[in-house]
Amino acid sequence: MRLLSAPPRTRINGTTLIVTGLLATLAALVFPIWSYADRSGTGLDTLDSQTVSTRFGPLSATDRTFITKVRLAGLWEMPAGQQAEQRAPSKAVETAGEHLVEGHTFLDARVREVAAQLDLELPNQPNEQQQDWLRELTAARGQDYERRFANVLRRAHGQVFSLVAQVRASTRNTLVRELADDANTTVLDHIKVLEATGLVDFDALARDGATASPPPATRSPAPPGPTASPGSATPVTPSPSFSLPPAASSPRSR
C-alpha cells in the first residue's frame, strides 16, 4: 500500500506557521530590550539629558521641579495661613494657620537662598490651581471655612510630601538634599497640625489617592539647567490679597 504524501499546499502552510511562530518569539524577546534599553526617552536617558553640573553636585529636572514647588507652596500657603489666623473661629485652626505662616516663611527664605546659589529663577505668584484654592477659602464662612481650610491644605501637603521623599532619596545635589530635609520637617509638622483640627476627611484622602492618575511627565526647557542671571525672586501678594510675612532665618520655636 502506497502512503500518500501531504499535498504541497499543506506542507507550505505548516512551514509558514513554524517560521511565523519563531519570528513572533524572537520579536517578543527583542522588543522589551529595544523598548526600554536602547530607545531615547527612558528614565535613565531623561535623567542624563536633563541633568546639569553644579559645584554642589548634579542638578536634575526633578530637583528643579522640587525647588519650584517649594516656592509655589509658600506663595499660597502663607496667605492661607495668615487668613486662618484672622478668621478662624476655633483655636485649632488658628494654630494651624500660625504653623503655615511660620513654616513657609522659613522655607521661602531657604528656597530663595538655594535658588540664588544654583542660578535658578523662581515663580513670583501662585499657579492657577493654588489661586483657585485661595478663592475657595475666601468665599467660605464659619465652620464651612474651617472644614475647607483643613482639607484643602491637608490634601496639598500630602501631595508635596511624596515629592519631598522622592527628592530626598534620589538627589545628588547637596543643596537640594538639605532643602529636602527642611521641607520634610516643615511639611510633616503642617500635616500633623492640620490633622489635629479634627476636621480632616481621611476617607476622602484615601479615595483621592486610590483614584488619582499618575502626573504627566514634565520635561525641562531645552537646554535644561540654570539660567546665567535669573534676577531676584520676590514674593507677590496673590488675589485675594493677604500680605506675605517677611522672610525669617528659622521657624519660631514653641
Side-chain angles (χ1 to χ4, degrees):
M1 178 176 180
R2 190 178 69 175
L3 295 176
L4 297 176
S5 60
R9 182 181 299 275
T10 303
R11 289 200 301 269
I12 293 173
N13 287 345
T15 303
T16 301
L17 289 174
I18 293 173
V19 172
T20 301
L22 290 174
L23 289 175
T25 302
L26 180 62
L29 293 173
V30 171
F31 179 76
I33 300 175
W34 173 78
S35 297
Y36 300 107
D38 297 330
R39 293 175 63 191
S40 62
T42 60
L44 184 58
D45 176 79
T46 301
L47 175 65
D48 292 339
S49 66
Q50 298 188 6
T51 295
V52 295
S53 298
T54 77
R55 61 191 179 95
F56 304 99
L59 185 71
S60 71
T62 301
D63 293 337
R64 295 192 295 278
T65 297
F66 167 66
I67 292 170
T68 298
K69 286 185 178 292
V70 171
R71 170 67 165 179
L72 284 170
L75 288 174
W76 84 276
E77 290 179 26
M78 282 194 285
Q82 187 178 55
Q83 184 187 64
E85 290 180 297
Q86 298 168 353
R87 294 178 51 188
S90 72
K91 182 62 179 177
V93 171
E94 180 183 355
T95 299
E98 292 173 357
H99 278 243
L100 289 178
V101 171
E102 293 169 2
H104 283 291
T105 298
F106 166 62
L107 275 186
D108 191 70
R110 286 283 293 114
V111 75
R112 285 188 283 124
E113 175 187 351
V114 168
Q117 291 179 276
L118 294 173
D119 290 332
L120 292 175
E121 291 191 58
L122 292 173
N124 280 327
Q125 61 181 357
N127 61 33
E128 287 297 323
Q129 183 182 50
Q130 293 166 339
Q131 293 184 41
D132 286 343
W133 287 335
L134 283 172
R135 284 189 284 267
E136 176 185 346
L137 294 177
T138 300
R141 294 290 183 273
Q143 293 182 349
D144 179 54
Y145 166 77
E146 293 198 322
R147 180 183 58 81
R148 290 177 184 272
F149 171 83
N151 285 279
V152 168
L153 269 299
R154 173 59 180 82
R155 187 178 301 110
H157 278 81
Q159 294 169 356
V160 172
F161 201 46
S162 61
L163 176 61
V164 174
Q166 176 189 355
V167 170
R168 182 60 182 84
S170 63
T171 185
R172 294 170 288 174
N173 189 281
T174 56
L175 288 183
V176 175
R177 192 175 301 119
E178 292 169 358
L179 181 63
D181 285 339
D182 291 334
N184 181 74
T185 300
T186 302
V187 173
L188 181 58
D189 171 72
H190 292 174
I191 286 176
K192 289 181 176 180
V193 77
L194 288 164
E195 292 173 352
T197 64
L199 300 171
V200 173
D201 186 344
F202 291 101
D203 289 335
L205 290 176
R207 288 192 298 270
D208 289 345
T211 59
S213 58
T218 301
R219 296 185 66 87
S220 296
T227 58
S229 179
S232 59
T234 305
V236 297
T237 303
S239 179
S241 61
F242 296 99
S243 61
L244 295 176
S249 59
S250 63
R252 196 164 64 231
S253 60
R254 292 189 169 277

